[in-house]
Amino acid sequence: PEAITVQELANRMAERGADLVKALFKMGSPVTLTQTIDQDTAELLVTEFGHRIKRVSESDIDIDTSEDVDAPETLRPRPPVVTIMGHVDHGKTSLLDAIRGASVQSGEAGGITQHIGAYQVALPDKSKITFLDTPGHEAFSDMRARGANVTDIVILVVAADDGLRPQTIEAINHTKAAGVPMIVAINKIDKPEAKPQKVREELLQHEIIVEDMGGDVQDVEVSATKKTNLDKLLEAIQLQSEILELKANPDRAAEGTVIEAKLDKGRGPLATVLVERGTLRVGDVFVAGASSGKVRALIDDHGRQVKEAGPSVPVEVLGLSAVPSAGDPFTVVENEGRAREVAAYRQGVLDRKRTTSAPVSLENMFANHA
Ligand code: GTP
Ligand code: MG
C-alpha cells in the first residue's frame, strides 16, 4: 500500500497539519509534516478526526470531508457541559447535590468523591444542564492530555472561609489552558468566618477579574448547605451558555468521550459516555478506546434504561469487550469488522506507547493550543 505524507493527508482532510502531528504524537507516533505514514495509520487518523473514508482501491484512500462537518441546518441547540472544580472539601459535591436536590455526598465513603459523576438537571424552563463532578484535577488533565475537551464551562468552587488553595490555583491554570469560560461559585457564605471579598481579591492575583471587581467573570455567592443563591448560579450558567451558542447535530452516528469506566462484577465492563454529537442507540456498534462492542443497554443518570442518548447526554453503556479509559473517544462505526479493526489498531498503539513512553507534560503538548 502507498504511503502518504502527513501534510498531504492534512490537505486532503482540510485539517491543519499541526493538528495531525499532534494527534499522531498522542497516538504514540511522533512524526513531522514531511514524513510519510502508512495507510492504516492514515485511515485511523481520518476516523479519529471524524471524517469518513472510502477505500477506493488497496492503494488509495478517498476522504470524504463533506460528511464530517455537520451542515449548519443540521445543528440543534444542546445543553452545556459544566465541570465543577475546586480545592478538596470546598463543597463541589455538596453544591452539585444541592442543585440536583439529591444527596450523593452523604452516601459517599468519607464524603470523598470516588468517581466522576455525570448528571443532567432540568430547569423550570425545561432547558437542561449537564454536570460533571470531578474527584480531583487528575481526571480533568488526563482527559485533556488525551485530547478530550468535553467541558463547555467550568464552575470554580472556592470556600469563602478558606480562600484560594493549591488545587484552586491548579484548577484556574487548567481552565485557562483549556480556554474554557469560568464561573466562580464562592461557597460556604453561611459560615460566620466567610470572607467572600477576600476570595475576589485573591482571584485578582491570578488574573481572574470577577464582575464585582469590574471584570467579566461571573461570580455568585452560594451556600450549598443552606441552598442559598443556587438559582443565581444556574442563571449564570444559562447566560454563559447562551453566549457560547452550543449546538450539535443529533441525527448522525454518535461520537462522544468516555467519562469513567469500570468492571462491574455482574454486568461486565461499563463505561459512562458523554455523547458529543449524533444519537447513541441500543444496538449500535462502537469502538471505545481499544475496546469495541455493541450497545446492549443504555442507562441514564437516574438508573433507568433508555433507548437512546443525544448530544450532551451522559449515559452508561453496557456491551463493551473491555474496560476503556477516561478520555477515550467513543465512536459508533458501521459494522463489527470495522470496530474490531479500529480497536485492534488502537490496542497496538497503546502497547507501543507503553514501551516507548517518554514523559510528556500538558504544558508542552498544549503550548500552542491555548
Ligand atoms: P472532595 O470531593 O473531597 O474534593 O470534596 P468536595 O469539594 O466535593 O466537598 P464536599 O461537598 O464533600 O464538602 C466538604 C465539606 O464541606 C462537607 O462537610 C460539607 O458538609 C461542607 N460544606 C459544603 N458546602 C458547604 C456550605 O455551603 N456551607 C457549610 N457550612 N458547609 C459546607
Ligand atoms: Mg466531592
Side-chain angles (χ1 to χ4, degrees), residues 87-94 105 111-113 135 187-188 190-191 222-225:
H87 195 73
V88 169
D89 278 352
H90 277 198
K92 302 179 289 292
T93 305
S94 302
Q105 197 262 334
I112 293 169
T113 303
N187 191 31
K188 308 199 186 184
D190 58 290
K191 286 197 159 185
V222 296
S223 163
T225 41

Side-chain angles (χ1 to χ4, degrees), residues 105-121:
Q105 197 262 334
S106 55
E108 280 176 4
I112 293 169
T113 303
Q114 305 288 343
H115 297 286
I116 297 172
Y119 316 95
Q120 236 186 15
V121 298

Side-chain angles (χ1 to χ4, degrees), residues 73-237:
E73 63 272 17
T74 65
L75 301 178
R76 299 285 172 272
R78 64 166 178 87
V81 178
V82 178
T83 299
I84 310 226
M85 297 181 89
H87 195 73
V88 169
D89 278 352
H90 277 198
K92 302 179 289 292
T93 305
S94 302
L95 194 57
L96 187 54
D97 285 354
I99 290 168
R100 276 201 305 161
S103 190
V104 167
Q105 197 262 334
S106 55
E108 280 176 4
I112 293 169
T113 303
Q114 305 288 343
H115 297 286
I116 297 172
Y119 316 95
Q120 236 186 15
V121 298
L123 303 182
D125 69 357
K126 298 236 161 52
S127 67
K128 287 177 176 167
I129 301 173
T130 302
F131 284 99
L132 306 181
D133 179 22
T134 59
H137 307 298
E138 272 163 51
F140 191 78
S141 15
D142 270 5
M143 302 239 281
R144 281 201 46 234
R146 303 165 133 267
N149 246 340
V150 296
T151 304
D152 299 310
I153 299 167
V154 164
I155 305 276
L156 182 73
V157 179
V158 188
D161 63 334
D162 202 22
L164 265 65
R165 306 276 295 156
Q167 284 182 38
T168 318
I169 293 158
E170 239 178 73
I172 290 172
N173 293 336
H174 283 317
T175 308
K176 279 186 184 168
V180 175
M182 175 192 287
I183 295 170
V184 182
I186 304 176
N187 191 31
K188 308 199 186 184
I189 51 151
D190 58 290
K191 286 197 159 185
E193 58 275 34
K195 295 190 184 72
Q197 195 55 25
K198 187 157 170 270
V199 171
R200 294 186 184 96
E201 284 160 16
E202 286 176 350
L203 285 167
L204 269 182
Q205 295 167 15
H206 297 272
E207 283 108 45
I208 305 288
I209 312 167
V210 298
E211 284 181 337
D212 236 52
M213 308 284 276
D216 52 15
V217 175
Q218 298 189 82
D219 62 309
V220 187
E221 287 185 16
V222 296
S223 163
T225 41
K226 297 269 187 290
K227 302 196 191 313
T228 314
N229 287 345
L230 300 183
D231 49 345
K232 282 195 183 152
L233 182 61
L234 294 173
E235 271 169 37
I237 296 169

Side-chain angles (χ1 to χ4, degrees), residues 13-88:
M13 287 165 68
E15 294 282 353
R16 287 188 348 180
D19 291 336
L20 263 67
V21 170
K22 201 149 59 186
L24 282 162
F25 183 77
K26 278 187 270 178
M27 285 157 61
S29 327
V31 293
T32 62
L33 278 178
T34 50
Q35 273 179 293
T36 56
I37 50 176
D38 61 43
Q39 187 165 320
D40 285 341
T41 307
E43 273 198 25
L44 187 80
L45 206 54
V46 166
T47 320
E48 295 272 331
F49 274 77
H51 295 282
R52 295 272 177 101
I53 32 172
K54 285 186 223 141
R55 202 185 263 248
V56 177
S57 72
E58 264 310 303
S59 63
D60 196 18
I61 48 175
D62 179 29
I63 300 142
D64 187 353
T65 50
S66 62
E67 284 186 63
D68 163 54
V69 182
D70 293 304
E73 63 272 17
T74 65
L75 301 178
R76 299 285 172 272
R78 64 166 178 87
V81 178
V82 178
T83 299
I84 310 226
M85 297 181 89
H87 195 73
V88 169

Side-chain angles (χ1 to χ4, degrees), residues 256-298:
T257 299
V258 174
I259 299 299
E260 63 179 333
K262 62 177 179 195
L263 186 63
D264 184 90
K265 268 186 188 164
R267 297 180 296 169
L270 294 178
T272 303
V273 172
L274 180 72
V275 177
E276 281 154 76
R277 56 178 182 173
T279 298
L280 181 62
R281 296 192 171 84
V282 173
D284 280 350
V285 175
F286 64 86
V287 183
S291 158
S292 62
K294 191 172 188 170
V295 178
R296 235 183 324 125
L298 294 172

